Amino acid sequence: MSQGSTTEGARARARAEVTAAIKDEARRRLAAEGAAKLSLRAVARALGMVSSALYRYFPSRDDLLTALIIDAYDSLGERAEAADARSADAGPLGRWTAVAEAVREWALEHPHEYALIYGSPVPGYSAPATTVPPASRVGLVLLGILRDAHRSGALTTPPVPAALLPEAERMAAELAPDLPPASAAALVAAWAQLFGLVGFELFGQFHRLVEDRVTFFRHAAARLARGAGLD
Amino acid sequence: MSQGSTTEGARARARAEVTAAIKDEARRRLAAEGAAKLSLRAVARALGMVSSALYRYFPSRDDLLTALIIDAYDSLGERAEAADARSADAGPLGRWTAVAEAVREWALEHPHEYALIYGSPVPGYSAPATTVPPASRVGLVLLGILRDAHRSGALTTPPVPAALLPEAERMAAELAPDLPPASAAALVAAWAQLFGLVGFELFGQFHRLVEDRVTFFRHAAARLARGAGLD
DNA sequence: CACATTCGAGAGCACTGCTCTTGCTTTGCC
DNA sequence: GGCAAAGCAAGAGCAGTGCTCTCGAATGTG
C-alpha cells in the first residue's frame, strides 16, 4: 500500500483515459448523427479497438448513453451557472434572462445532447438516480435567483387559487422552504415553459413562424420571469 | 372508366386494407415499445408476412414513421378541436383550458406518439411538407379562441417591447392579420410553453416535484391563457 | 383468354448490440 | 525476483435489424 496508489493509479489512470476517449468519440458521433444512430461498434472502430473491448468500460450501450446524459446535464448546468455568475449585478430579471439565453444557446450548440436529455426518453431506458443532481442544476440556478430576489424584497408573490395551495405548499417545502408557496409553484411552471420555448425552436416547430428568434425568445423569457414574480 | 372505379377499386381497396393493417400493427408496437424500437420485421411478423413484402407498402421505415406522425398529429388535433367545440359556451378562458387539458390527456394516453411528434426528431429524418397541416391543428384551435375573444372584445393586448414589434407584426401578418401583433406573438409563446408543461410531465422531469399534476397543469394553463390576453 | 402488372416469399448484404472463450499483459503480493 | 491473479483486447458467434434483389404465383385488365 506504500506505493500502491501510484501503481494502482497507473492502471486506474489508463482506464480513466480510455473511458474518456470513448466518451469523447461517442459525444462526437452523437453530435454528428444523434443518439438513435449512436453505434458502439462505430465508436470502437474509430478508436481502433474491437467492439467487444468496449464492454470492459461500459456494460451496455445504455450505460454509455447514461454517461453522456450526465455529461450533457453538467455541461448545460455549468453554462447556466456561469451565465448567472457573470450577471450577478444585473438584478433578478437580468440574471433570469441571462440564464435563459445561456440555456437556449447551449441547446442550439448541442442539439443532439439537448434532445438526449430533454427529448423523448429511450424506450426501455430509465435514467438512474445518478442523473438527478446534474439534471437539477439549471432549476437550482433559477431557484437561486428567485430566492435572492425574495430576500431583497424584489419578489412579488403571484396569485394562487385555493385549489393549488396544498400542492404549492408541498412544492415549497420540498425545494425552497424560504419561498412563498405561490412562488415555488410559479417557478416550476416557468421552468417547464422555458424549456418548451427552447425545445420548440430546436425541434423545428417554429419553422416559418418565428424568424427573429433571439428577440422573440428574450421577450418570452422575460415575461416568464415576470410571471414567476420578478421584475 | 364506366365500371373502372369498382374493379380498380377492388385492388386499391385491398391495398388500402393492408396498408391500414400495417399502420395499426405499427401503432400498436409503437405504443408498446416506442419509435426507436419499432421494427419493420416485427410488424411484418405479427401480420404473418415477410419483411420484404412490407416494402411494397412503405418504401422505408422512415416512411412508415411519417405515416404514424401524421396520424398522431391528426389524432391530437381532433381531440383538441373536439374539446374546443364541447366547451364552446365556456368563454375564451374556459375553451383554452379545455383544449390544454385535452392536449395533456391525449399525451398521457399516447406517450410514445407524443414523443414521436414533439420529442427528439429522428436523426436523418426530416418531416415532409405533408405533416405541416396536421401539425398545425392544435395551434389553429388556440388561434381560433384568441380570434373569437378579440372579436367579442374580450382580448386584452399584452405589452410588447419595441424590439419585438417588427417580428410580432410579421407573425400576425402570417397567421392572423385580424389580431393585434402583440397577441399573435403572445399566442405563439404560450403555445410553445403549453407543450413545455406537457412534455416535462410526460418525460419525467416533474418526478417527485409535482404531485397533484392535474391541478398544477390546470392552473399553469390558465395563467398561460391570461398571459396571452384572455380572461 | 392472354398479358402485364402487382404482390409475397426467400435469399442475401451489411450492419447492429451483446456474449463467451482464448490468449496476452500488467499488476500486486509473497 | 518470481508467480498467481486480475485486467484486458481480440475474435468468433448469436440473434436481430433495414433494405435490395430475384423469382414464381396470383390477380385484375385489355
Side-chain angles (χ1 to χ4, degrees):
Chain A
M1 283 270 188
S2 55
Q3 299 170 335
S5 66
T6 53
T7 48
E8 215 174 18
R11 181 130 69 179
R13 195 160 45 242
R15 193 183 167 80
E17 264 171 36
V18 177
T19 306
I22 292 171
K23 282 207 294 182
D24 278 1
E25 179 60 33
R27 217 189 328 271
R28 227 168 290 141
R29 302 203 75 86
L30 178 70
E33 35 195 355
K37 297 207 166 168
L38 177 64
S39 134
L40 277 186
R41 287 181 121 106
V43 171
R45 216 177 304 138
L47 261 52
M49 53 170 80
V50 86
S51 72
S52 59
L54 226 146
Y55 285 82
R56 300 265 167 198
Y57 299 90
F58 294 95
S60 79
R61 197 191 97 116
D62 281 3
D63 288 270
L64 215 192
L65 276 180
T66 298
L68 296 181
I69 286 174
I70 292 177
D71 283 6
Y73 274 127
D74 273 326
S75 169
L76 171 60
E78 199 175 332
R79 197 62 166 266
E81 287 161 12
D84 183 36
R86 212 178 304 115
S87 55
D89 50 355
L93 210 155
R95 285 169 67 189
W96 176 285
T97 53
V99 170
E101 284 174 25
V103 169
R104 174 177 173 272
E105 279 161 20
W106 185 92
L108 291 178
E109 286 168 24
H110 310 86
H112 287 119
E113 292 180 67
Y114 183 90
L116 190 63
I117 55 183
Y118 291 108
S120 338
V122 184
Y125 175 85
S126 82
T130 43
T131 62
V132 172
S136 316
R137 291 175 68 169
V138 173
L140 288 180
V141 171
L142 298 177
L143 177 59
I145 297 175
L146 246 69
R147 185 177 277 138
D148 289 351
H150 179 58
R151 234 185 316 229
S152 69
L155 186 70
T156 59
T157 308
V160 52
L164 186 65
L165 233 159
E167 175 69 5
E169 277 165 357
R170 206 197 46 74
M171 286 162 115
E174 179 100 6
L175 56 83
D178 51 334
L179 278 187
S183 297
L187 171 66
V188 172
W191 170 64
Q193 290 167 14
L194 177 68
F195 283 88
L197 290 167
V198 174
F200 259 36
E201 172 174 353
L202 202 67
F203 295 160
Q205 302 275 0
F206 283 168
H207 179 65
R208 296 219 135 265
L209 218 129
V210 182
E211 298 279 359
D212 185 357
R213 298 179 176 181
V214 173
T215 308
F216 178 78
F217 180 82
R218 184 172 301 150
H219 178 55
R223 287 198 17 123
L224 234 31
R226 274 187 284 268
L230 300 180
D231 53 33
Chain B
M1 286 269 184
S2 55
Q3 300 170 335
S5 65
T6 52
T7 48
E8 217 175 15
R11 182 128 71 176
R13 194 159 46 245
R15 195 183 167 78
E17 263 172 36
V18 177
T19 306
I22 293 172
K23 282 208 294 184
D24 278 1
E25 179 59 33
R27 215 188 329 273
R28 226 167 293 142
R29 300 203 76 84
L30 177 72
E33 36 196 355
K37 297 207 167 169
L38 176 65
S39 133
L40 276 185
R41 287 180 122 108
V43 172
R45 215 177 304 135
L47 262 52
M49 54 169 85
V50 87
S51 74
S52 59
L54 224 147
Y55 284 82
R56 302 265 170 202
Y57 299 89
F58 294 94
S60 79
R61 199 191 96 116
D62 281 4
D63 287 88
L64 215 191
L65 276 180
T66 298
L68 295 181
I69 286 173
I70 292 177
D71 283 6
Y73 273 129
D74 273 327
S75 169
L76 171 61
E78 198 176 331
R79 200 55 168 268
E81 286 160 12
D84 183 36
R86 212 177 305 117
S87 55
D89 49 356
L93 210 157
R95 285 169 67 189
W96 177 285
T97 53
V99 170
E101 284 175 26
V103 169
R104 173 177 174 273
E105 280 161 19
W106 185 92
L108 291 178
E109 287 168 22
H110 309 84
H112 288 119
E113 293 180 66
Y114 183 90
L116 189 63
I117 56 183
Y118 290 108
S120 336
V122 184
Y125 174 85
S126 81
T130 42
T131 61
V132 172
S136 316
R137 290 175 68 169
V138 173
L140 289 179
V141 170
L142 298 178
L143 176 60
I145 297 174
L146 246 71
R147 186 177 276 137
D148 289 351
H150 179 57
R151 234 185 318 229
S152 68
L155 187 70
T156 58
T157 308
V160 52
L164 186 65
L165 232 159
E167 176 69 5
E169 280 166 353
R170 206 198 47 71
M171 286 162 110
E174 179 100 6
L175 57 82
D178 52 334
L179 279 188
S183 296
L187 170 66
V188 173
W191 171 64
Q193 291 167 14
L194 176 67
F195 283 88
L197 289 167
V198 174
F200 260 36
E201 172 174 353
L202 201 65
F203 295 160
Q205 302 277 0
F206 283 167
H207 180 64
R208 296 219 135 263
L209 218 131
V210 184
E211 298 279 359
D212 185 356
R213 297 179 176 180
V214 173
T215 308
F216 178 77
F217 180 82
R218 184 172 300 151
H219 178 58
R223 287 197 17 123
L224 233 30
R226 275 187 282 270
L230 299 179
D231 52 34

